[in-house]
Amino acid sequence: MMKKLSAIALAATMMLSLIGCSKKNFDGNYTAEVDLTDGFINGLSESVDVEGYEWKGSWVETVHLELSEGEYTYSSDANATLDNLEKFMNDNVDVFYYVYGVTEDELADYGYSSIWEYEGYETQEDFIADFITLYDASDFEEKESGEYEIDGDSITLKGVDTVDEDGNKGEGWVLTYEDGNLTGIQYMDEDNLDEETEITFVRDAE
């Protein structure tokens, strides 16, 4: 009996040792949404006075991360990003009164019931859809791939350009694993976004 118990204890010890030495398996598909709202508003504010307008909702960029056997592919979903922009602008169609420098009452005096009618459109949706054509899907297309390294509860996407809090450029984006998700920090002030942007990749349902 003692011999059998010793064998079981030894087997358990070896199993724990293997678990301790093994690396986490991060392989899978992940999706993140990067908030572009501040960048859009700040960019618009450089040429149009929109102070006082209360923005509704947000505009997000949809990005995908695929991890497989030490290699990654990072890509943006350009069509989804444009769809998100279209919804955001439909929610904020009244900002065009600021863009054109007119008020609803002024347009009413000229016989127009809305900003899109003033611009010659029958519906708000047509007006916004035409506005979206000013953007090209290729403007939001991004795809890069490479290798990733595992270090405990984090991985590093090698080759990804990064900017630290001091504005220094580098390579290698660190993502930390927690509760099935991967989270990293990007400093994206160059895009008029918040200086420090936290991006969380949520593992896709299988």
Side-chain angles (χ1 to χ4, degrees), residues 56-195:
K56 308 173 188 67
S58 60
W59 175 30
V60 297
E61 176 186 19
T62 303
V63 294
H64 301 289
L65 177 65
E66 180 182 348
L67 303 178
S68 178
E69 299 180 350
E71 296 186 348
Y72 74 86
T73 299
Y74 174 93
S75 60
S76 59
D77 190 331
N79 290 326
T81 301
L82 279 178
D83 288 344
N84 292 337
L85 175 59
E86 186 167 0
K87 181 181 183 306
F88 176 66
M89 293 311 300
N90 268 301
D91 290 341
N92 292 281
V93 67
D94 287 345
V95 78
F96 284 96
Y97 287 105
Y98 290 75
V99 172
Y100 290 107
V102 297
T103 66
E104 291 185 67
D105 290 339
E106 288 173 339
L107 289 186
D109 289 340
Y110 288 101
Y112 298 106
S113 62
S114 63
I115 194 71
W116 56 87
E117 183 183 357
Y118 170 70
E119 281 296 296
Y121 296 88
E122 293 185 359
T123 67
Q124 172 184 320
E125 289 73 21
D126 289 342
F127 173 57
I128 296 299
D130 198 32
F131 167 76
I132 296 299
T133 63
L134 297 174
Y135 297 84
D136 192 280
S138 62
D139 296 333
F140 304 101
E141 288 177 353
E142 183 180 2
K143 185 174 183 178
E144 54 185 299
S145 58
E147 297 179 345
Y148 71 87
E149 294 179 342
I150 300 175
D151 182 12
D153 289 329
S154 66
I155 66 172
T156 299
L157 305 183
K158 299 169 66 176
V160 176
D161 294 333
T162 59
V163 179
D164 65 19
E165 64 271 23
D166 297 320
N168 300 316
K169 295 183 178 180
E171 287 189 359
W173 188 20
V174 178
L175 302 175
T176 302
Y177 184 85
E178 184 177 358
D179 297 329
N181 304 325
L182 290 165
T183 301
I185 299 295
Q186 285 278 28
Y187 293 87
M188 307 169 74
D189 56 302
E190 60 194 21
D191 295 324
N192 290 321
L193 300 177
D194 288 340
E195 183 177 349

Side-chain angles (χ1 to χ4, degrees), residues 28-34 61-66 75 77 181-182 199-205:
N29 297 322
Y30 302 78
T31 301
E33 292 189 338
V34 182
E61 176 186 19
T62 303
V63 294
H64 301 289
L65 177 65
E66 180 182 348
S75 60
D77 190 331
N181 304 325
L182 290 165
I199 301 175
T200 298
F201 290 92
V202 179
R203 186 187 287 269
D204 296 348

